[in-house]
Amino acid sequence: MVARLALAAALVFTAAPIAAQYNDADDPYIWLEEIQGERALAKVDQWNADTEAVLTAQAEYPFAKAWARQILDDTRQIAMPDAIQGDMVTNLWRDANNPRGLWRIASLDSYLAGTPEWRTLIDVDQLGEDEGQSWVWHGANCLAPEYTRCLVSLSPGGTDADVVREFDVATGRFVEGGFTLPEAKSNVAWFDENTLFVGTDEGPGSLTESGYPRLVKLWERGTDFAQARLIAEGQQTDISMNGFSVFDGETRYRFVRRGPDFWTGEYSLVAEDGATTALPLPVDAEFEAVLDGYVIAKLNSALDTPAGTEQPGALLAWSLDDVQRGRDAAPFAVFRPSETQAVEQVAASENKLWVKVLDDVSGKLIELTPDATGWTERAMDLPANSTIQIAETSGADDTAFVTVESMLTPPTLYAVPSEGAPRAIASEPAQFDASKFTVEQKFATSKDGTKVPYYLVRPEGAEGPLPTLIHAYGGFRAAQTPKYLTAEPYRSGPLGLFWVESGNAYVLANIRGGGEYGPRWHEDALREKRQNSFDDFHAVADDLVANRLADPGRIAASGRSNGGVLVGAVANQRPDLYGAIISGSPLIDMKRYNKLLAGASWMAEYGNPDVPEDWAFMREWSPYQNMRDSADVPAAFYYLSTLDDRVHPGHARKAAAKHEAWGQTFYYHEYREGGHSVGSDHEEDAKRAALLLAYLNREIGNGAD
């Protein structure tokens, strides 16, 4: 196995050895959970400096960083339609001169013609400079159908918490005396032009145990928020409450959602006077869209209907008119995926429902149209064996904007009309010579016999085992679809490209826990079934070894967020396979995760460690508790942000402290800004990609011992 027991002299850590055995009641590293603690940040600064001293000295580092920055700042990128607002389109543009972005607007006609005439609404960099804040754009919610007033969300440093300010598109200015909310994890949406749905931090009792709003209020323009009227409230143990509106034709439908846990939701229709009427959706169904007076939801468990039993993954429709009139709203199916398919995205335009389906992880776009005889279905003619993403839909002209890409084909943005053929309106340039590589979809067999798909990229003509980077996620119904190599793995910039350009192999594994095959794929890795996700990852690695495509010990496991649980667990379980792990913004200490920031909101996914029956199975795979004082462990690289207010930085810090105490090889990089996504601009993203490449080369690549 390729592994160093210590880094070079510049990376020798000096902390005194501490107890090797973890004690649940007395964690010796708990002081690292103090996010802004002076002692904790001093340790972070030391680890950052030591890691940079070694990796920035690698010969490939300056070249990789410069190349990454060039790719990320390329002005030939697609100006994606962030929102279609009537006959206008908005976009957030980031490049070398505008690292935080320009929020801008153009006519839809000029955009469709490929020559958008942009007008800047907010220069985020300039706004931050003027106001002395490190603003990161969090989006804008503009009121239909006029779209002249918007609720703009800005985060200080990239945290999930943000401030909300009302903006006037016509004047290009924030509204003096308009709606504003201070920094919080707020849920805010338009009720009408003079009223907002608001859930925010109002002090004790206003938030759930997960740290999200527990109350939904209606706040009228010109009044103090203290006068806002309560219309719905959840329990302290819920995840969150929120209100929202959907514009369907000429009708504005308003809803409130209560989230008892991460995977359930109770929806109510809200009348003009704020009165609520419960929707008859199953509690585990996913609200997808409103079209033609029907609410469309995806089933996650079987449902008996007047027409028969509908299976998980199907899209069903319920009449909102029936709900409003107090009649029984009997649902009916509008789409049923096949055994190999999963519905991943649903979006509505004026008269169409657009459904993005995965079929053995390959994307397809389907158009559904309601008419007097039912709902008709039409598959759209887009490139096969690609990743398809619905970016936006327009209104009356029923056009869907979708991107199409593969690992070797850069993204192309198509306008897909309701009549006629899809038309490419923008494409990103090729950033590398695709003929130098091959991509193949393969299937491994997991421990219980389940076939697990994965995508393998190797240099053309390569023979025998290669150092291999495997990325996966395996949780929260999030499917991992293959993207252009300049964006693989997720949040690692163009690391995947740099890795295969160096003569190595990259793998994207579609393990259970995600949504690649619909609800069943996720259910098979929930709670006590979590080990299936890890077994799937091991199966992919073992399959590579068995087919002489990789060698044990020269495989790196990559994951972020929930993927931190994944890579930490697989490293503990199979150190014979893995020589390195990349762990980004990671969950690691599953004994305390529910007490740290938003952790309590994920107990439906993992289990509750405070319940002995749950901890009994969680204890078997929790990465932190299963770390051991041994020389035979993969070298780890942890990257994260101090301002991550979703996954607590204490997870990675405490894992690093264990490595340090035991004299094990590890690398660590914590940005002070960036939130859960880490880098807050392209400079930070480029640096991370270069550090990771240097790390992989040292530990499993050509530079390894």
Side-chain angles (χ1 to χ4, degrees):
M1 175 176 180
V2 179
R4 293 182 176 84
L5 300 184
L7 295 179
L11 202 51
V12 172
F13 297 111
T14 60
I18 40 187
Q21 294 302 313
Y22 175 81
N23 186 323
D24 292 342
D26 186 21
D27 184 348
Y29 310 108
I30 202 164
W31 57 275
L32 286 163
E33 292 180 6
E34 188 176 349
I35 296 174
Q36 299 287 0
E38 184 177 349
R39 181 185 176 198
L41 289 179
K43 176 57 66 178
V44 165
D45 288 343
Q46 176 206 329
W47 289 338
N48 282 352
D50 290 342
T51 293
E52 289 192 26
V54 170
L55 296 183
T56 62
Q58 298 293 109
E60 67 271 36
Y61 174 82
F63 172 75
K65 183 182 176 184
W67 190 10
R69 188 66 189 267
Q70 177 183 320
I71 291 171
L72 293 168
D73 285 340
D74 196 330
T75 57
R76 299 170 297 171
Q77 63 189 283
I78 297 172
M80 294 297 294
D82 295 332
I84 306 296
Q85 301 176 352
D87 60 358
M88 306 295 285
V89 58
T90 60
N91 160 261
L92 183 74
W93 179 262
R94 297 171 65 194
D95 59 21
N97 296 322
N98 307 280
R100 297 296 173 96
L102 299 174
W103 184 46
R104 55 191 191 168
I105 193 167
S107 70
L108 185 57
D109 286 343
S110 71
Y111 186 79
L112 285 167
T115 55
E117 300 162 357
W118 296 110
R119 173 169 69 96
T120 297
L121 297 174
I122 296 177
D123 181 332
V124 182
D125 297 271
Q126 187 63 53
L127 181 68
E129 183 177 332
D130 292 344
E131 298 183 346
Q133 285 278 5
S134 181
W135 289 128
V136 175
W137 181 257
H138 267 196
N141 177 354
C142 300
L143 178 65
E146 293 86 5
Y147 301 104
T148 56
R149 291 294 179 92
C150 303
L151 299 173
V152 168
S153 297
L154 295 162
S155 164
T159 61
D160 283 359
D162 51 32
V163 301
V164 179
R165 297 157 70 176
E166 187 177 4
F167 186 86
D168 189 312
V169 171
T171 64
R173 297 179 181 275
F174 290 106
V175 178
E176 186 174 350
F179 289 114
T180 62
L181 280 169
E183 181 183 349
K185 291 184 178 181
S186 303
N187 292 326
V188 185
W190 293 102
F191 184 89
D192 59 36
E193 63 181 341
N194 291 310
T195 314
L196 299 184
F197 285 111
V198 178
T200 192
D201 186 353
E202 303 177 51
S206 65
L207 301 179
T208 67
E209 292 175 359
S210 298
Y212 296 103
R214 188 181 67 84
L215 311 174
V216 177
K217 295 185 175 182
L218 294 183
W219 183 20
E220 294 185 11
R221 185 182 299 279
T223 65
D224 191 276
F225 183 67
Q227 300 174 268
R229 178 161 57 99
L230 180 69
I231 63 167
E233 62 181 307
Q235 302 298 314
Q236 205 76 40
T237 55
D238 290 346
I239 304 304
S240 67
M241 293 281 296
N242 69 288
F244 62 99
S245 297
V246 179
F247 209 68
D248 176 35
E250 299 299 318
T251 304
R252 189 189 315 280
Y253 290 103
R254 304 175 178 92
F255 304 91
V256 164
R257 179 187 184 275
R258 174 191 171 217
D261 64 41
F262 201 89
W263 297 118
T264 59
E266 298 173 356
Y267 292 88
S268 296
L269 189 63
V270 183
E272 290 278 355
D273 63 1
T276 60
T277 304
L279 293 184
L281 276 61
V283 70
D284 63 346
E286 296 177 53
F287 186 114
E288 296 285 5
V290 175
L291 180 64
D292 198 35
Y294 292 92
V295 58
I296 313 298
K298 181 171 66 176
L299 296 183
N300 283 297
S301 58
L303 179 67
D304 292 330
T305 74
T309 301
E310 296 294 344
Q311 297 302 313
L315 293 179
L316 269 60
W318 286 259
S319 167
L320 288 171
D321 184 58
D322 285 345
V323 173
Q324 289 173 320
R325 295 174 183 273
R327 299 194 295 250
D328 181 24
F332 60 91
V334 299
F335 180 77
R336 299 183 182 97
S338 71
E339 183 67 21
T340 60
Q341 291 180 335
V343 173
E344 191 181 25
Q345 277 186 290
V346 180
S349 55
E350 187 80 4
N351 305 290
K352 309 286 183 179
L353 193 70
W354 302 91
V355 181
K356 181 268 185 86
V357 171
L358 293 178
D359 197 337
D360 273 337
V361 200
S362 182
K364 294 182 178 180
L365 183 67
I366 294 169
E367 173 202 84
L368 300 174
T369 307
D371 56 36
T373 61
W375 289 57
T376 59
E377 177 182 325
R378 182 168 70 113
M380 310 310 290
D381 185 18
L382 291 167
N385 302 316
S386 299
T387 288
I388 294 173
Q389 199 79 10
I390 301 174
E392 251 297 356
T393 59
S394 67
D397 64 348
D398 286 313
T399 297
F401 292 86
V402 301
T403 57
V404 179
E405 64 185 304
S406 71
M407 286 182 161
L408 302 184
T409 305
T412 294
L413 179 66
Y414 286 84
V416 185
S418 59
E419 296 181 3
R423 178 169 61 89
I425 60 173
S427 295
E428 289 191 9
Q431 298 285 359
F432 58 91
D433 181 359
S435 68
K436 297 192 299 183
F437 310 111
T438 61
V439 177
E440 182 181 5
Q441 186 184 36
K442 300 171 74 67
F443 291 82
T445 302
S446 196
K447 186 176 181 179
D448 64 358
T450 299
K451 297 297 183 183
V452 181
Y454 66 92
Y455 289 87
L456 170 65
V457 187
R458 284 166 62 93
E460 174 70 40
E463 297 182 359
L466 297 177
T468 300
L469 171 63
I470 306 176
H471 183 76
Y473 185 73
F476 294 93
R477 296 180 188 155
Q480 301 297 288
T481 52
K483 302 292 182 65
Y484 194 49
L485 279 180
T486 55
E488 292 275 15
Y490 177 63
R491 297 309 304 168
S492 294
L495 175 64
L497 169 62
F498 296 170
W499 185 240
V500 297
E501 282 276 7
S502 301
N504 307 302
Y506 173 68
V507 168
L508 182 69
N510 303 117
I511 63 178
R512 280 175 286 182
E516 285 85 346
Y517 289 101
R520 65 181 175 87
W521 205 245
H522 174 243
E523 292 284 339
D524 274 357
L526 271 181
R527 292 170 48 84
E528 68 275 8
K529 301 177 184 176
R530 203 77 190 176
Q531 185 60 44
N532 285 335
S533 179
F534 313 142
D535 288 342
D536 290 357
F537 196 95
H538 296 320
V540 171
D542 282 332
D543 193 67
L544 293 166
V545 172
N547 287 286
R548 297 199 70 254
L549 298 170
D551 283 328
R554 302 198 82 167
I555 298 173
S558 166
R560 68 177 306 275
S561 193
N562 164 77
V565 179
L566 168 69
V567 298
V570 300
N572 289 333
Q573 293 174 8
R574 294 289 305 277
D576 60 303
L577 271 179
Y578 311 107
I581 67 167
I582 295 174
S583 188
S585 305
L587 274 165
I588 296 175
D589 181 358
M590 302 308 290
K591 180 62 176 174
R592 285 184 49 76
Y593 87 98
N594 60 325
K595 299 174 177 64
L596 301 174
L597 297 177
S601 63
W602 310 317
M603 290 191 292
E605 177 81 7
Y606 300 116
N608 182 351
D610 297 330
V611 174
E613 293 81 5
D614 285 9
W615 181 239
F617 62 75
M618 297 176 71
R619 178 67 176 82
E620 295 299 312
W621 45 258
S622 176
Y624 190 58
Q625 282 69 33
N626 285 283
M627 293 176 70
R628 61 191 183 279
D629 185 359
S630 170
D632 189 26
V633 297
F637 190 121
Y638 301 102
Y639 70 83
L640 60 149
S641 163
T642 306
L643 293 186
D644 187 343
D645 54 352
R646 192 181 314 174
V647 175
H648 198 290
H651 287 278
R653 292 175 180 179
K654 295 197 299 182
K658 278 195 174 183
H659 290 303
E660 180 181 64
W662 296 334
Q664 296 168 347
T665 301
F666 75 100
Y667 304 76
Y668 189 95
H669 203 269
E670 180 177 322
Y671 281 121
R672 290 296 173 87
E673 291 190 339
H676 189 57
S677 295
V678 195
S680 56
D681 57 39
H682 288 170
E683 171 67 19
E684 294 179 354
D685 293 340
K687 181 176 182 178
R688 182 170 56 257
L691 289 172
L692 290 171
L693 177 66
Y695 153 74
L696 288 176
N697 281 337
R698 281 178 61 86
E699 296 303 329
I700 67 166
N702 293 330
D705 291 338

